[in-house]
Amino acid sequence: MSGFRLPGRGRVNHDRPVGFSFDGDSYQGLEGDTVASALLANGVHLMGRSFKYHRPRGVVTAGPEEPNALLGTSRGEGRSEPNTRATMQEIYSGLTTTSQNRFPSLNFDLGAVNDHLGMLFSAGFYYKTFMWPKSFWDRVYEPVIRRAAGLGVSPSEPDPDTYASRFVHCDVLVVGAGPAGLAAALSAGRAGARTLLIDEGAESGGSLLSEPQAVIDGKPAWDWLSSALDELDGMVNVTVLSRTTAIGYYHQNMVGLVQRLTDHLAEPPADAPRERMLRVRADQVVLAQGAIEKPLVFDGNDRPGVMLAGAALTYLNRYGVRVGDRPVVLTSHDSAWYTAFDLSDAGVPVAGIVDTRTDVDLDLLENARSRGIVIYTGHTASSTAGRLRVTSLRVNPILNGKAGPGVTIECDAVLMCGGWTPSLHLFSHTKGSLRWDEETRTYLPGERTEEVHIAGAGRGLWGTGAALADGADAGAKAADAAGHSADVSQFDVTGDRGGTGASNVELPTDRNPATAKAFIDFQNDVTAKDIRLAVREGMHSIEHVKRYTTNGMATDQGKLSNINGLMIASDALGRNAPEVGLTTFRPPYSPTTFGAFCGYHRGERFEVIRTTPIDPWAEENGAVFEPVALWRRARYFPQPGEDMHTAVNRECAATRKSLGIFDASTLGKIEVAGPDAVEFMNRMYTNPWTKLGVGRCRYGLLLGEDGFIRDDGVIGRLSPDLFHVTTTTGGAPRVLAMMEDYLQTEWPDLKVWLTSTTEQWATIALNGPNARKLLEPLVEGQDLSDDAFPHMSVAECTVAGFPARLFRISFTGELGFEVNVPARHGLDLWKTLMAEGAQYDICPYGTETMHVLRAEKGYIIVGQDTDGTVTPQDAGLSWAIGKAKPDFVGKRSLARPDLVASGRKQLVGLMTVDPKTVLEEGAQIVADPNQPIPMKMIGHVTSSYWSEALGRSIAMAVVEDGFERKGDTLHIPMPDKTHAAVVSGTVFYDPEGDRLKL
Amino acid sequence: MMTNAATLQDCLAATGLSGPVELRLLPEPARMALRADPAHGNALSGALRLELPTKIGDRANNDGLEVLCLGPDEWVVHTDGEGMAAVQAAFAEIYGEVPHSLVDISDRDIAIELRGAAAETLLSTGCPIDLSRIRPGHGKRTLFDSVQVVLLRDGEDLFRMEVWRSFLPHVWGLLNTANRELEVGL
Amino acid sequence: MLLIHCPYCDETLPEAEFVYAGEAHIARPEDPSTYDDEAWRDFLFIRTNARGRHFERWRHTHGCGRFFNAVRDTVSDRFLLTYRAGEPRPSDAELEELAK
């Protein structure tokens, strides 16, 4: 049994010892311990070093607000986490923990030299110090700051854990399972409301876990707690989750919860996620988060052994640990007196109770006297002593607001209490207003913006009885508002501990306040005098004070420091606290893992990857893939020893020489059907459609209403009332949404309907002089001869026995066909074509070859050669505009002054003077390479490839007045050299189109 | 009829570890997207030989034919292979008086069946809607993860989820991961 | 994530099923060729950018697929009302009544 554990006391399991390590030493705790309680049971208070001054620090709290006891935890490769709060991390067998921010060891830390340079590290230090000379930034300041910045060490290996998420819907979400939350859940649950009760602790109970003396409905508090939990457990409409933190409160009662599933387990089950994010949508929310105890601000209030009195009470009653052999209580609130009483009753000699107030409740005084505890009312604390642990507290009587002569109290723990701050973080996320309460000198919830009820200490109520009654009321109101009919549960409480307190700024001292280290923000080492200095230096808004001093900006987000900082700032400014205001609380409430936010979206499910029916063949045959929108598409099919360049050259040559096969299944497809289909097509697309015959197809160009190109694709007419529209791969959802928009909202009278058939069809493109030879024997129901089925035809027939829509179209300039078959047959058809095509040396090609072949023909790719500012005229596509049509989407805009002005960027070809030079896509173009920098850029390269067919490079570019520059030499400056290129047309290969007519 | 072989294989491989929810890919039914003016409800009902549901989310069945109302002018029709030809013929007959669009989308979607008491919880890993509001015999178009799906509830513990073919590996992978998680029980 | 009431489904559903579709009640002219350059510019580009009550379009993309109109307060990010496409713009008096 460790030295500071009280046998049989607390909720820990005294029969189940648990071994763990801290800084390489082995320790034993008990099942139910946190790292903090287990270390305290072993007499260890020193758990870390502070951020700026590297001062030795001990645990201050027993909960999530802990600023000091931040440890590195690990359980093997990749499973390590910095800044874990020792007060929250439960121990398990084999847990390894290490202290942070010290070198070489926690007891002897070289960085502690900063402590003696404290005068140099005052508020605004960073702003004042790292100003000049400018050249010092890169070489001196930044490396120094980077080395010093950040607490703890982040893991360098990938996180091997998995994370989960769920959406949850409920009538009433209760945050906090202390007395108020339990009562709220009981009221709501008994009314039949779908109720979710959560608490971030390892077990429910909140303050009841630390105050077992109360008697509720005739039962000792802990018996009542277990019967309440049993009752809740028995209701099918109630769920109780522990180890679950509400991290953020969003619009319309959406609350984000993170559930910790395995961090407390010695051997987590395989496939168990480490954490789960719950996105809860609650009809009503009850916030029963309680209050956080405030530290007192005095010189040396950060020495190990100085902690909050409420925390000491928790360690004593919940964990059976006394935090010292001779503690002294220092308080301005009644609550800390009970810590002294419970310690004393447990046999711990209390060295005294120091209260800043002169008038203290007579019962408290009597209770202290009867236990023989020395009382110092009307006293302040002026300093502490001790290096790695407090050894004494110096106290002084307060006379007329000033500190009188000091006396020293020998002690090994100082248990302080500066009052309590209602926990309003989540409420603040909702933009609910806060109301300053002058009497308790704290902020209380004001106007609500959401369907939220705040219960218990969270709205300034004190004591178990008040919390239960208020929680029951809030739970009933919530259930009623959610459509149930609730009774307010009643509770009879005896042995309750009420109390009041006073609020302070820095405690009065007889020492020089300029040398005092009276901390407000323990984690960021912000002292009271830093706040006053900030105000003197002109920071009059609390937001400026915060950023200048970094008060409240550490991982604990000012849970302990915000109100003390505000009180001191408002004192320095001579203004009331509400005039100075409070900084904004923002989600997350507690540090949250990236994993919890990622959930399932990592690795192969980082994002959706869409694959075509032919993808498995591509995979088997060694394709190199590239992402196109959400699709993965085969980019090229390298043979052994080939790089992309060689593979693409081979694929291009094979297609132009004989036959290439390409998976075009990702193309968007829309079925446009109905009596008004042709009218609709006329209105949507630039082209005329009325005279397009059944069985024919046409290149369609789609503009936005602003006149700029949005999409394009080949469109076939299958019957008078039926068009098979194709879109770009990435544009498919956009185009369908745009069409639906016009149909539903502008032309609801048109009798035409749209259906996405992108995935109904697998699409295989065959290109090359031998394409017809391959297809002809496989096609039934259509004569493929050039007369019967000329270029730009479409037919329904069968291919290799599969029902098909067959197009004769080409995106390569070669004789081309696109076969659409129902997706389930896509792979079989592909395999058949590969087998039958062997006699023509059929060559599968990918998107890279497709790009080269189309660029050789000057066919544009929307989104690559256009960028949302390109009109049909700019792109050389005026021929695709049905000029006789009275209207189509974007037509009016084509006459806008800016769209017909000179100086527009127009799509042209570029032939580099050195034919071997392949320009970089995106490279900027200038007319005169000798002009001074910055040069006037007149355009950029949009497409650029090596053309194997032409034996030279080709490129397309958008260039100011490009059409008028044909034959001019332009220049493309690059880091290594400037390339010259001659402006040309965009059709580089077979300009007459003879090869299409085979 | 079978789904695309390789995709199916990939998906089945992912089911090596089971969970409390029985997940399987359903054989492909015939599936049609029907769009028409609901004012022609009677004629449309006649062609389908059932009362065409006009409240979004409602379903109707008759003789192997099942219709779910997805939008004010949109339905999805499920039937078997032979049934589809009959439906197509019946609709061709009324086209003159009742213009509409009836498109074969049998191959566009793949249906996943989820069976078991934990099916609703499993779906809640990806569906942001309150699934308890979809009663047995109803359905709706919604999202699973970021993927658009049509969700049909056939019983308290029985769902069908129809997913566009290319999204199946993503959805199937997520469902199986979450199903294993349910099995662990944490 | 907001909750949005779809006036076609008559259900209040998560925002994830919806997409925003710009300001409402800007009808495409019957014959755009009759618009001069300024009027056409206004139709294309000039928007209210309201601070407060904003009339806007949403689409229930991953649900019934319909475009509809909404009145949303851009300060509080709260919906006052949603209504079907083609229905008249609600009057200020009606909206005041709803805001109560």
Side-chain angles (χ1 to χ4, degrees), chain A residues 229-252:
Chain A
L229 289 170
D230 283 347
E231 184 184 343
L232 291 169
D233 196 40
M235 298 186 208
V236 290
N237 55 317
V238 177
T239 306
V240 181
L241 298 177
S242 58
R243 301 187 182 93
T244 301
T245 304
I247 58 162
Y249 193 149
Y250 309 91
H251 274 316
Q252 286 167 292

Side-chain angles (χ1 to χ4, degrees), chain B residues 165-186:
Chain B
R165 176 176 290 264
S166 68
F167 292 99
L168 182 72
H170 182 81
V171 169
W172 185 253
L174 283 176
L175 285 172
N176 279 281
T177 301
N179 203 20
R180 284 201 296 282
E181 176 192 326
L182 289 177
E183 181 75 8
V184 171
L186 281 182

Side-chain angles (χ1 to χ4, degrees), chain C residues 6-98:
Chain C
C6 173
Y8 292 91
C9 296
D10 195 23
E11 286 264 2
T12 301
L13 294 159
E15 184 184 344
E17 288 192 356
F18 299 82
V19 288
Y20 179 71
E23 188 166 350
H25 300 294
I26 298 172
R28 186 177 194 270
E30 282 284 311
D31 182 359
S33 70
T34 61
Y35 271 43
D36 65 18
D37 286 337
E38 279 68 38
W40 186 247
R41 173 203 63 197
D42 290 355
F43 164 74
L44 284 180
F45 301 122
I46 305 302
R47 295 295 179 266
T48 311
N49 195 22
R51 184 181 192 280
R53 217 169 272 166
H54 187 233
F55 294 81
E56 59 195 23
R57 301 181 334 129
W58 287 77
R59 184 181 181 211
H60 193 188
T61 304
H62 303 297
C64 68
R66 303 310 288 189
F67 285 85
F68 60 90
N69 293 327
V71 189
R72 184 178 58 97
D73 189 311
T74 60
V75 178
S76 67
D77 206 9
R78 258 157 223 285
F79 285 89
L80 261 73
L81 178 70
T82 57
Y83 52 102
R84 295 181 175 206
E87 287 180 7
R89 178 188 180 117
S91 69
D92 283 350
E94 286 170 80
L95 293 173
E96 292 301 332
E97 192 59 35
L98 276 171

Side-chain angles (χ1 to χ4, degrees), chain A residues 425-599:
Chain A
H425 305 74
L426 289 179
F427 180 71
S428 296
H429 296 173
T430 69
K431 299 265 175 204
S433 69
L434 299 179
R435 176 174 63 80
W436 178 251
D437 185 67
E438 193 56 40
E439 192 190 322
T440 54
R441 300 191 67 74
T442 191
Y443 280 102
L444 296 178
E447 292 292 312
R448 304 178 306 166
T449 62
E450 296 283 348
E451 294 294 322
V452 60
H453 311 260
I454 296 151
R459 64 185 194 98
L461 299 175
W462 199 247
T464 303
L468 284 167
D470 198 43
D473 188 52
K477 282 192 177 122
D480 285 346
H484 298 269
S485 178
D487 296 323
V488 181
S489 308
Q490 303 289 333
F491 304 95
D492 176 48
V493 180
T494 56
D496 203 357
R497 291 169 168 177
T500 60
S503 174
N504 298 282
V505 291
E506 308 96 308
L507 297 185
T509 177
D510 58 340
R511 299 275 176 88
N512 176 8
T515 61
K517 285 202 167 141
F519 286 91
I520 295 172
D521 185 325
F522 293 98
Q523 200 182 335
N524 266 356
D525 275 340
V526 180
T527 63
K529 69 173 193 285
D530 288 329
I531 303 273
R532 292 189 184 273
L533 179 64
V535 170
R536 274 206 306 283
E537 293 188 344
M539 308 299 140
H540 291 180
S541 146
I542 196 70
E543 298 285 357
H544 290 154
V545 170
K546 166 181 166 172
R547 283 158 185 82
Y548 200 60
T549 62
T550 71
N551 190 44
M553 288 168 67
T555 60
D556 60 334
Q557 291 281 290
K559 290 188 180 73
L560 295 186
S561 62
N562 273 356
I563 295 293
N564 277 333
L566 169 63
M567 299 310 293
I568 291 166
S570 66
D571 184 60
L573 285 161
R575 284 194 269 156
N576 290 331
E579 292 171 48
V580 179
L582 196 59
T583 53
T584 312
F585 294 108
R586 292 193 177 82
Y589 166 74
S590 288
T592 306
T593 62
F594 285 108
F597 286 108
C598 295

Side-chain angles (χ1 to χ4, degrees), chain A residues 743-812:
Chain A
L743 255 189
Q744 289 183 28
T745 66
E746 302 293 354
W747 311 317
D749 53 311
L750 290 187
K751 288 181 174 39
V752 55
W753 295 274
L754 313 170
T755 305
S756 172
T757 50
T758 301
E759 301 225 33
Q760 169 68 17
W761 304 103
T763 306
I764 298 171
L766 291 166
N767 281 273
N770 285 317
R772 184 186 291 113
K773 284 188 200 147
L774 169 62
L775 268 179
E776 230 157 14
L778 297 172
V779 170
E780 281 179 32
Q782 179 61 43
D783 176 355
L784 288 195
S785 68
D786 193 48
D787 290 340
F789 201 60
H791 184 55
M792 301 306 268
S793 295
V794 59
E796 294 185 274
C797 56
T798 67
V799 178
F802 303 122
R805 284 183 182 173
L806 179 63
F807 287 73
R808 181 174 166 193
I809 48 177
S810 172
F811 199 43
T812 60

